[in-house]
Amino acid sequence: MSNTKLNELRRAIEAMDFPNYIYSYPPKRAYRPFAERLDLRDSWREQQGDLNVYLHIPFCNYRCTFCTLFLTTAQTPDQVESYVEAVENQIRLYGELIGHLRVASIYLGGGTPTVLSPGQFGRIFAALRSEFPRLAPEAEVSIEGTPDTMTPEILDCLLSLGINRISMGIQSFHPDEMWRAGRRYGVQVAVDAIENIRRAGFENFNLDLIYGLEGQNLDTWQMSLSKTLSFSPATLSLYPAVFRPLSGIHKLKSRSPEIFPRERLRGEMYDMSVDLLAERGFRQESSIRFTRHAPGGYRQEASDFQGVPLLGLGAGARSYCGDLHYTTDYAVGKRSTLEIIGAFIERHRQPRYDLEYGFQLDRDEAERRFVILNLLLDQLSLPPYVQRFGTDPLERFAKEVEALESEGCIDRDGDGNVRLTRRGFKFSNLVGNLFYSERVKELEASYSPK
Ligand SMILES: C[S@@+](CC[C@H](N)C(=O)[O-])C[C@H]1O[C@@H](n2cnc3c(N)ncnc32)[C@H](O)[C@@H]1O
Ligand code: SF4
């Protein structure tokens, strides 16, 4: 009998049909309003052990042409202040419930968290430390930011609050590519920001680049990559440009596809980068991330993938509490985004325990999640899977495994553990997609961005 999974994989690889980068499973686009009212106190009651904390700051100074993350650029100082107060209230609300858990990592993402003032950071960290006093000594405490906000003052403040990892979007070092991507500052601003990070004493920093930007070619990509490497980042994240509906580049590409590098060229950019980074001693951790830093940059993601619960704070942040995943509503459009941020601020004036929007994983989805995330990040080890689900994943997903082996995307060691090959990393989004349930695919396909 023919293996439909193999046909699906072959077709996608031939078309070089890269779907979106897989941040998690199920993806947020598969979340829906809960049919029945859920209470977060019931959901978190049983949780023990470690906790990861993510805080979303949905503010930026500009919207880059490729970006559809949940953020606004129309914030007023009063709104930002009210948002920080709402976050402090939310931290207190959760502190009462789960403040006894050990915090394994904290990640401030966005948007651009570094648009906050030192005083606002101080208040957020004071609330976190008093409500969650058990911060692991080795905890990764990370923040994202843009070059034009990485001032020495902010960096000193972050260091004094115990932040030990910085992640910054460079995107490109080519002035025209930067400009067209919506980064309306000079190359020197990005260079100064990296110097500021290093001078402040942060050794563990990540830089993001994007390949597939308007007008980019192999030479300009190589230039951006080499220049980035000259600053010796601990981790490099290389993102293929994703053209999501409602983004500037999505509209532009539908009018003028020829101004963007084609899939084949993007494939060459990726291959060249993998070779260069291997030569420079970087270890490939995923299709996106390359690291020199032991035990790996971005440990929060690794810890999430291993099943440590995630507390999402702020509007648009996801929480993973066992098999219950939830968030607030989120959007891309200006008006909807502001409404959702306003509703979050209102909601946290009083303690509220109802959950609105998310995904309850059943056993089938939990097995899929385990396989996808472990395979895409590190390796799919059999013992933890068997211990958790009591079955053999290689039998459970026999068709998928056979398809991946015949396409040379995975290797198995003597104990049956499965790892992505170089080809598997290149097509890792397709590898992950192979394990998606029909239900999640349908939910994703029927999601309409607002
Ligand atoms: C939350 S943002 C980074 C933080 C910060 N706001 C910045 O831009 O410097 C995470 C990264 O995802 C990447 N990214 C976001 N949207 C993308 C898209 N549509 N295609 C490719 N990469 C994207 C960018 O490299 C970006 O730096
Ligand atoms: S890429 Fe970063 S700075 Fe640009 S809009 Fe997105 S979150 Fe904001």
Side-chain angles (χ1 to χ4, degrees), residues 247-411:
S247 66
I249 57 170
H250 186 265
K251 283 181 213 128
L252 193 56
K253 195 179 181 191
S254 34
R255 280 203 309 271
S256 316
E258 70 289 349
I259 60 179
F260 290 94
R262 300 202 183 270
E263 288 303 311
R264 199 150 296 285
L265 176 54
R266 294 206 315 173
E268 286 172 35
M269 290 172 174
Y270 172 87
D271 288 336
M272 186 267 274
S273 313
V274 173
D275 289 338
L276 182 64
L277 292 172
E279 259 171 45
R280 300 291 184 90
F282 281 79
R283 183 167 64 84
Q284 182 161 15
E285 279 196 343
S286 71
S287 63
I288 306 279
R289 203 163 51 252
F290 300 81
T291 185
R292 289 186 297 114
H293 199 270
Y298 200 3
R299 273 181 274 154
Q300 178 164 105
E301 188 179 70
S303 167
D304 267 0
F305 286 13
Q306 283 151 13
V308 172
L310 174 71
L311 171 62
L313 300 169
R318 295 184 240 219
S319 294
Y320 306 143
C321 173
D323 288 332
L324 177 69
H325 292 190
Y326 65 89
T327 176
T328 62
D329 198 1
Y330 66 101
V332 182
K334 283 188 189 131
R335 188 180 314 150
S336 313
T337 302
L338 278 173
E339 279 169 10
I340 294 168
I341 294 172
F344 172 81
I345 292 170
E346 274 312 309
R347 181 186 166 88
H348 287 284
R349 293 197 198 283
Q350 303 289 334
R352 286 255 313 259
Y353 300 101
D354 52 316
L355 300 178
E356 303 161 81
Y357 190 80
F359 195 103
Q360 175 76 59
L361 285 80
D362 58 15
R363 187 196 152 104
D364 175 69
E365 296 293 6
E367 288 182 51
R368 291 176 187 279
R369 174 177 164 79
F370 190 102
V371 170
I372 293 170
L373 301 187
N374 283 283
L375 194 53
L376 295 198
L377 192 62
D378 182 17
Q379 67 164 5
L380 176 60
S381 305
L382 299 196
Y385 184 98
V386 174
Q387 195 184 3
R388 178 149 175 216
F389 298 108
T391 52
D392 179 350
L394 302 181
E395 280 174 23
R396 157 85 166 87
F397 295 105
K399 285 243 152 67
E400 288 82 354
V401 171
E402 184 193 309
L404 291 171
E405 278 193 314
S406 44
E407 275 300 304
C409 291
I410 53 171
D411 267 342

Side-chain angles (χ1 to χ4, degrees), residues 171-202:
Q171 323 310 357
S172 167
F173 271 116
H174 190 283
D176 297 345
E177 290 169 14
M178 284 169 70
W179 185 265
R180 291 190 206 111
R183 300 285 174 127
R184 307 271 157 104
Y185 50 76
V187 169
Q188 193 56 38
V189 171
V191 172
D192 290 346
I194 304 174
E195 297 294 4
N196 289 344
I197 290 173
R198 297 200 322 172
R199 248 194 311 265
F202 290 97

Side-chain angles (χ1 to χ4, degrees), residues 59-69 71 73 110-112 144-146 148 169 171 181-183 210:
F59 306 118
C60 285
N61 291 333
Y62 39 80
R63 187 179 279 274
C64 304
T65 54
F66 52 84
C67 187
T68 55
L69 295 170
L71 60 97
T73 57
T112 306
E144 285 175 353
T146 52
D148 51 324
Q171 323 310 357
R183 300 285 174 127
I210 301 183

Side-chain angles (χ1 to χ4, degrees), residues 411-439:
D411 267 342
R412 279 201 250 176
D413 68 18
D415 301 324
N417 298 319
V418 182
R419 262 184 197 284
L420 293 181
T421 58
R422 177 172 170 147
R423 185 169 162 82
F425 270 123
K426 179 167 183 178
F427 295 109
S428 68
N429 298 346
L430 303 178
V431 172
N433 264 45
L434 221 53
F435 294 89
Y436 275 38
S437 70
E438 289 308 313
R439 175 173 170 233

